[in-house]
Amino acid sequence: MALASALSNIANDNSPKAGRNPRVRFSQIVSLSGGENEGAAAQTDLAYEEHAFFGFARGEEFSCPASWLGQLIERAGRKATMRGLRGRPIAVCAPSAALAHPDAPMAAEAGAARANLCPQEFRLEFADCALVDEEYSALDNLYGFYHRGFRIGIDARTSWASPFDTDARMLIEAVRLDARMVDEVRFDEDRLDAALGAGVMLYAENMQWRDAEKMLSMGITHALDPRPDC
């Protein structure tokens, strides 16, 4: 019954109840070399992993990571359209549990359709730790979204240890980093060189414009709303 309810929510063309959804705001992805806007990142105030799945507050639409992802994509797409945001792609941090859920690619595609947008207009970013946990099936799971038209990214704000071989580099479009962590994480130079050689975009959040030269020297070419110098 739970699966049937989740699939019913996936197919439902009605907007989800606003009071039971995470709020979405947007940050612009800008080029550090030229300052141009090259997409947006949808930021939410509540992650799937932070939601309570018990008691009176539980909602069926949130009990399934596939349904959550589909509704998040729909909500981000609708708000981007309402606000006139034309930069693409829209980066969405996908819940780790959705990576291995068999219905998640279908739910994601349905969410984009309800927002009257194409899957190609979204980049789904999965946490590096989720890819590590799903070591042997991670790429197959990512291909499920890729084959439906979605762009793929890695959320490496706290770690970047997932497989990054030739197949992964052909699939992954971007890697999101935290400017405050790049020195602590100490990324392998070969990994950074491989990303640059494959055309994978490295972009950082929580950075100031004064650090642009340093970031560019590391191959980090874009940033989320870099703060002006004080």
Side-chain angles (χ1 to χ4, degrees):
M1 292 295 293
L3 178 58
S5 177
L7 293 179
S8 175
N9 283 323
I10 291 171
N12 188 358
D13 194 42
N14 295 324
S15 299
K17 296 179 181 178
R20 304 175 76 179
N21 283 272
R23 289 172 298 199
V24 177
R25 60 184 178 85
F26 295 92
S27 296
Q28 297 297 316
I29 300 175
V30 301
S31 166
L32 292 178
S33 59
E36 303 90 355
N37 288 345
E38 298 188 11
Q43 314 275 25
T44 64
D45 61 345
L46 181 67
Y48 173 82
E49 291 82 0
E50 297 170 342
H51 189 76
F53 296 104
F54 51 86
F56 181 76
R58 175 177 176 170
E60 285 296 334
E61 67 268 32
F62 286 164
S63 64
C64 169
S67 182
W68 172 285
L69 177 59
Q71 292 185 35
L72 178 57
I73 289 171
E74 176 188 2
R75 193 166 181 79
R78 288 183 185 275
K79 282 194 170 291
T81 299
M82 288 173 56
R83 297 179 185 181
L85 298 179
R86 297 185 178 181
R88 296 291 186 271
I90 301 169
V92 174
C93 287
S96 297
L99 182 62
H101 196 290
D103 297 321
M106 176 180 65
E109 185 177 32
R114 292 195 300 268
N116 295 316
L117 296 177
C118 299
Q120 291 88 346
E121 297 182 74
F122 294 90
R123 179 170 62 242
L124 304 184
E125 299 182 346
F126 292 90
D128 174 73
C129 60
L131 300 177
V132 172
D133 291 343
E134 299 288 335
E135 179 181 0
Y136 298 107
S137 59
L139 281 184
D140 288 340
N141 293 335
L142 289 177
Y143 270 113
F145 297 95
Y146 181 80
H147 286 315
R148 288 180 181 265
F150 289 98
R151 307 179 191 208
I152 304 297
I154 297 177
D155 179 356
R157 286 176 289 180
T158 58
S159 68
W160 188 13
S162 54
F164 199 63
D165 56 15
T166 301
D167 290 339
R169 294 195 295 271
M170 292 179 62
L171 177 65
I172 294 164
E173 178 185 80
V175 177
R176 184 190 300 206
L177 307 169
D178 188 330
R180 301 170 302 183
M181 299 289 292
V182 292
D183 291 330
E184 296 179 27
V185 174
R186 301 184 186 280
F187 300 114
D188 187 287
E189 291 186 5
D190 291 339
R191 179 172 289 235
L192 293 174
D193 289 342
L196 294 174
V200 176
M201 183 183 77
L202 303 180
Y203 75 105
E205 60 181 56
N206 297 314
M207 68 159 285
Q208 293 181 294
W209 271 112
R210 68 187 180 197
D211 296 323
E213 185 175 348
K214 173 187 175 181
M215 295 295 158
L216 285 167
S217 71
M218 299 176 61
I220 299 171
T221 58
H222 293 73
L224 281 179
D225 285 343
R227 299 185 296 274
D229 300 336
C230 297

